[in-house]
Amino acid sequence: MPSVLQDKRVFTEQETSNYIGMSRSFLRQSRMEGLRKNRTQAPPFIKIGRAVRYLKEDLDLWLDSHRKMHQLSHEGGAYV
């Protein structure tokens, strides 16, 4: 990741996509769908007029909230 993104506080949609490793399509869909069963919740965002922006600190917290702290279970050597 370029150091320019590390120094910024506010990201555009494209910068956010690069920072979290998800597509712009994911960001748009998750923003519009809100909380739906079996869907990943959108990272927090700010709307200023028609512009959508993401705070780096919110993105870091969002990423941390999706961290898994246990191993994948497996049976007979194959992961399920």
Side-chain angles (χ1 to χ4, degrees):
M1 160 181 26
S3 63
V4 173
L5 287 184
Q6 292 177 348
D7 296 337
K8 290 185 75 167
R9 180 173 183 237
V10 179
F11 293 162
T12 64
E13 185 179 72
Q14 181 63 51
E15 291 168 334
T16 298
S17 173
N18 292 335
Y19 186 73
I20 67 171
M22 303 292 284
S23 68
R24 291 174 70 187
S25 174
F26 163 77
L27 292 171
R28 290 178 185 151
Q29 284 184 325
S30 61
R31 271 197 321 264
M32 293 193 315
E33 291 177 352
L35 293 175
R36 289 184 61 195
K37 188 176 180 178
N38 298 325
R39 299 288 177 136
T40 300
Q41 181 179 357
F45 62 94
I46 298 169
K47 189 129 182 182
I48 305 168
R50 291 170 47 182
V52 175
R53 299 294 182 260
Y54 296 84
L55 293 175
K56 181 182 183 295
E57 60 208 48
D58 288 343
L59 295 174
D60 290 338
L61 290 171
W62 182 82
L63 288 168
D64 289 343
S65 75
H66 288 85
R67 181 178 294 167
K68 300 294 181 203
M69 300 303 281
H70 53 83
Q71 297 287 358
L72 294 173
S73 63
H74 63 86
E75 293 180 17
Y79 289 96
V80 290

